[in-house]
Amino acid sequence: MTHRLQSYFGYSYPGQLAELVKREWPVEAIHALPSDAHLGQLLDAAYHATLLREEQRPVSFRLLFAPPEALPRTGGPPTGLCSIRLDRMRPFNEQELRRISMAADFYRSLIGVTVTDDDVLKVWGLLVSGTRWVNRVDGGRFIEGTLPARFVLHALGPGRLTTFLGQQRIAALSGGRMEGLAFDLFQSRWLEQAFARVKGDIRRTVFGKLDTFSYVPVNLDFIRIMSQNVVRRTLSVVRNSRHGGTLVFIDPEDEELLTRKHGPMRFKYKMAHTEAREHYQSLLAQAVTRLTQLVYENKLKEISWQEYQRAADRELAELDEGFFEFAHFLADLMAVDGALVVTKRFELVGFGAELRSDAPALMSVRRALDVEATVWANEALDDVGTRHRAVYRLCEEHPNCVAMVVSQDAAVRFVKNHHGAVTYWNQLSW
């Protein structure tokens, strides 16, 4: 849900964010919420630090509010935290955050902050987390949490603050707009239903390639989560490149209609119908084959995402790298002007596609205010650029399409004709 609390120009600032954090903070974790005064200081200092630069470099960081003695004394990346204390505490203000942020890479470390006996905020050191936490949003084989249930603050750009309880997002401030709910659309029912028709096809295709072992139960979540991770990683690469792009998923049976001459998609680069179009399914079949072998060797009950994560196997590690590279390849195709079009079975159709649907009656779209779009707000079609308008018109005329649009400012938007109306969701990002 997007909140706009009152200020002179209609924008929100750290003070309003503090009020939203207090409203959204889980009651069962109230002990981890900083006091009103400390919460205000944390947000104010972080906000002003993001407006500074250190030797012409932008300031970004993650911050964890907890005393060092409350954190594990042993461990470290990739599955834990390594706490490194300074010999004396440093003052907590925007200038100190600016300086120490250069030693605390946003993706690998956090700045440790606590309250002294005289009720003053101080920087006590650094926590090395490693990068696995990123996989929860950006996709990856290992997504176990490494952060304790404490107040965490992300400062990723000028005026961009996101608050967390551990890894649970609470509220964010970006561009003067506050967001109290984080949409992880990969957990939505509507997205799962949009791909439901091809799940069985993928499963039959994958098991059709198995000729060594008898049938082993596969948890369908394995195929779903693996596919989601490829898409997460693709969108992450495009988002971080800052060039934007469009990814359109179509039903396999609609391919001929959508790609016909003078149809709604005009391709600059269209894929030939070779086995390479089905590279993703080939990787998936290899992963299932190897997991099947491991199931037999270890007397496990099924093939699942959890087993895929836990298995310390060299062949699976190489296959995981293959999925990673496939996602990067999709991101490269999205760098070309136009849309990348893929079937919902992840068959490559073409890229550099011009979307040419007219949809003359489409004058507005719905902005979803919850993950299932049970609550929405209407927005004029002209409120966005040509890339978004082309996607909206395509989804209006071809309701089975699912589109994902990455803007140059790194915002990610999912678009679908949902219950007869073109609807968009802003996807969770860091």
Side-chain angles (χ1 to χ4, degrees):
M1 183 177 296
T2 299
H3 300 256
R4 274 194 180 277
L5 301 187
Q6 293 299 317
S7 68
Y8 185 76
F9 291 106
Y11 295 107
S12 298
Y13 293 97
Q16 287 98 334
L17 178 60
E19 293 302 315
L20 181 57
V21 169
K22 289 189 290 183
R23 287 206 303 268
E24 300 284 339
W25 195 265
V27 175
E28 64 274 13
I30 198 68
H31 63 279
L33 180 65
S35 68
D36 289 0
H38 294 148
L39 179 61
Q41 293 174 41
L42 289 164
L43 297 176
D44 277 336
Y47 181 88
H48 287 94
T50 64
L51 305 180
L52 304 175
R53 297 182 75 84
E54 174 66 11
E55 295 183 350
Q56 302 306 311
R57 289 178 290 180
V59 174
S60 63
F61 55 87
R62 290 184 296 149
L63 176 156
L64 187 144
F65 178 71
E69 57 270 16
L71 300 170
R73 296 186 178 183
T74 59
T79 58
L81 288 174
C82 176
S83 301
I84 302 175
R85 299 179 65 169
L86 302 174
D87 67 338
R88 59 187 177 91
M89 292 191 181
R90 302 293 302 172
F92 179 79
N93 55 53
E94 65 271 19
Q95 296 298 337
E96 191 64 45
L97 289 175
R98 171 182 61 83
R99 288 187 287 265
I100 200 170
S101 68
M102 297 299 109
D105 179 80
F106 180 87
Y107 295 99
R108 297 182 180 278
S109 302
L110 301 95
I111 300 170
V113 179
T114 191
V115 180
T116 62
D117 292 338
D118 52 355
D119 205 37
V120 176
L121 291 178
K122 294 280 188 178
V123 174
W124 59 259
L126 302 174
L127 298 101
V128 185
S129 67
T131 60
R132 282 191 180 181
W133 67 273
V134 181
N135 294 345
R136 191 171 296 275
V137 169
D138 287 352
R141 183 180 177 193
F142 303 106
I143 58 173
E144 63 266 29
T146 59
L147 297 181
R150 295 281 182 163
F151 178 83
V152 175
L153 178 62
H154 290 189
L156 191 52
R160 290 180 59 189
L161 303 179
T162 308
T163 57
F164 294 80
L165 170 60
Q167 294 186 167
Q168 177 187 350
R169 180 167 141 162
I170 302 298
L173 171 64
S174 180
R177 174 175 291 185
M178 295 196 299
E179 296 178 355
L181 293 176
F183 297 166
D184 186 359
L185 299 171
F186 291 101
Q187 305 304 317
S188 65
R189 291 190 300 274
W190 70 262
L191 186 62
E192 182 177 2
Q193 291 167 0
F195 285 78
R197 294 172 59 187
V198 301
K199 274 186 179 179
D201 293 343
I202 294 176
R203 192 173 183 179
R204 284 188 292 272
T205 300
V206 167
F207 276 94
K209 298 179 185 294
L210 294 178
D211 54 10
T212 306
F213 299 95
S214 60
Y215 175 77
V216 175
V218 176
N219 187 323
L220 275 180
D221 277 348
F222 172 74
I223 296 175
R224 178 179 61 84
I225 297 175
M226 178 62 77
S227 301
Q228 289 181 359
N229 270 267
V230 169
V231 177
R232 285 180 188 271
R233 180 64 65 178
T234 301
L235 297 178
S236 171
V237 173
V238 176
R239 189 177 70 240
N240 293 335
S241 70
R242 300 285 177 169
H243 60 62
T246 302
L247 173 60
V248 178
F249 285 96
I250 64 174
D251 279 357
E253 56 267 30
D254 291 341
E255 181 177 352
E256 184 176 351
L257 170 69
L258 293 171
T259 63
R260 71 187 188 281
K261 189 175 182 180
H262 305 303
M265 295 179 175
R266 181 177 180 273
F267 289 90
K268 188 170 185 179
Y269 305 100
K270 196 166 181 291
M271 303 300 189
H273 283 261
T274 64
E275 290 187 1
R277 270 190 19 133
E278 302 176 5
H279 181 61
Y280 172 74
Q281 292 186 38
S282 176
L283 287 173
L284 200 58
Q286 292 177 62
V288 169
T289 299
R290 182 55 185 157
L291 278 170
T292 303
Q293 293 173 330
L294 296 176
V295 164
Y296 272 89
E297 292 171 6
N298 297 291
K299 295 181 169 47
L300 302 177
K301 293 183 178 180
E302 66 174 4
I303 296 169
S304 67
W305 178 253
Q306 288 72 26
E307 298 299 341
Y308 179 75
Q309 286 184 295
R310 284 196 290 260
D313 180 72
R314 180 176 178 179
E315 187 174 336
L316 281 183
E318 291 179 352
L319 284 169
D320 194 61
E321 187 176 351
F323 286 112
F324 185 87
E325 291 299 332
F326 178 70
H328 276 256
F329 177 61
L330 295 182
D332 290 342
L333 300 184
M334 288 177 67
V336 175
D337 188 34
L340 166 63
V341 181
V342 180
T343 74
K344 292 178 182 177
R345 290 196 293 251
F346 283 76
E347 299 156 325
L348 301 175
V349 177
F351 59 103
E354 177 186 354
L355 306 181
R356 305 190 297 182
S357 296
D358 292 328
L362 183 65
M363 304 302 294
S364 65
V365 297
R366 291 177 178 178
R367 174 169 60 88
L369 298 180
D370 63 17
V371 73
E372 301 297 343
T374 58
V375 182
W376 68 85
N378 282 319
E379 291 188 355
L381 189 68
D382 291 338
D383 285 352
V384 293
T386 55
R387 175 183 291 158
H388 289 84
R389 292 201 302 272
V391 167
Y392 293 159
R393 291 179 177 125
L394 174 72
C395 291
E396 169 73 2
E397 293 195 342
H398 302 280
N400 291 333
C401 294
V402 176
M404 300 167 189
V405 186
V406 185
S407 304
Q408 290 184 349
D409 63 359
V412 180
R413 184 170 291 187
F414 284 36
V415 184
K416 176 78 172 69
N417 192 316
H418 187 63
H419 298 317
V422 177
T423 306
Y424 79 83
W425 295 256
N426 290 319
Q427 163 64 357
L428 169 66
S429 63
W430 301 114

